[in-house]
Amino acid sequence: MVTENKTRPESADVTAFVAGVAHDVRRADAEVLLELFGRVTGWEPQMWGPSIVGYGRYHYRYDSGREGESLVTGFSPRKSYTSLYIMPGYQDLSDELGRLGKHKAGKACININKLADVDLGVVEEIVRKGLDMMLVRYETFDR
């Protein structure tokens, strides 16, 4: 059973979205993250829903039969923080999270107030390791 996700790829302009982020710090951080995620993944960014900058796309299927598509990795400059989306989660990233700096980890995202609070080298490690884990689980991606 294919279920439509609420968050789907959109044709909106990523650069315009980032330029329109109201909060000065989060807008500047989003510009840095655009470069970082692009360099690490080698993929072009695409909007997923109205507020997530995503990289890559993969098809998933759960044991329950639910299946769909999602971004491989990405970020979102939210009103109160920036979320980094690292699939498939953080169970194997305890060392990196311990070195990251000030953050809160959710189920599949890391929330940070500003990039100045974290080590960008560790952010890059986390994005790269998440991408590597996804490549093991899912043989092909749409870029």
Side-chain angles (χ1 to χ4, degrees):
M1 118 179 103
V2 176
T3 306
E4 286 292 322
N5 288 334
K6 291 180 186 178
T7 305
R8 294 183 294 247
E10 304 286 340
S11 61
D13 184 295
V14 172
T15 305
F17 166 73
V18 169
V21 172
H23 192 281
D24 292 343
V25 171
R26 274 182 254 310
R27 183 175 53 255
D29 287 354
E31 291 169 357
V32 170
L33 291 172
L34 270 175
E35 187 280 326
L36 186 147
F37 275 82
R39 180 171 32 83
V40 171
T41 66
W43 300 335
E44 291 296 318
Q46 179 175 19
M47 292 303 301
W48 283 74
S51 62
I52 298 175
V53 177
Y55 294 81
R57 180 187 315 198
Y58 73 101
H59 185 86
Y60 62 85
R61 182 172 302 144
Y62 296 133
D63 291 340
S64 67
R66 180 186 167 154
E67 60 184 297
E69 289 187 335
S70 186
L71 60 137
V72 175
T73 191
F75 67 91
S76 180
R78 305 281 184 191
K79 187 174 184 176
S80 301
Y81 52 84
T82 295
S83 292
L84 308 179
Y85 296 97
I86 311 297
M87 310 305 185
Y90 307 111
Q91 52 275 44
D92 297 329
L93 299 173
S94 58
D95 175 59
E96 291 84 355
L97 291 175
R99 296 183 289 114
L100 178 60
K102 187 177 176 182
H103 73 280
K104 292 183 181 179
K107 186 173 182 181
C109 66
I110 297 171
N111 298 322
I112 58 174
N113 187 38
K114 57 189 178 291
L115 289 181
D117 290 341
V118 297
D119 182 325
L120 277 179
V122 176
V123 170
E124 185 170 334
E125 286 178 45
I126 289 171
V127 172
R128 188 174 311 282
K129 191 166 183 180
L131 184 61
D132 290 346
M133 287 187 287
M134 291 296 289
L135 287 168
V136 168
R137 289 186 182 182
Y138 303 93
E139 295 176 6
T140 59
F141 294 133
D142 290 334
R143 299 181 170 150

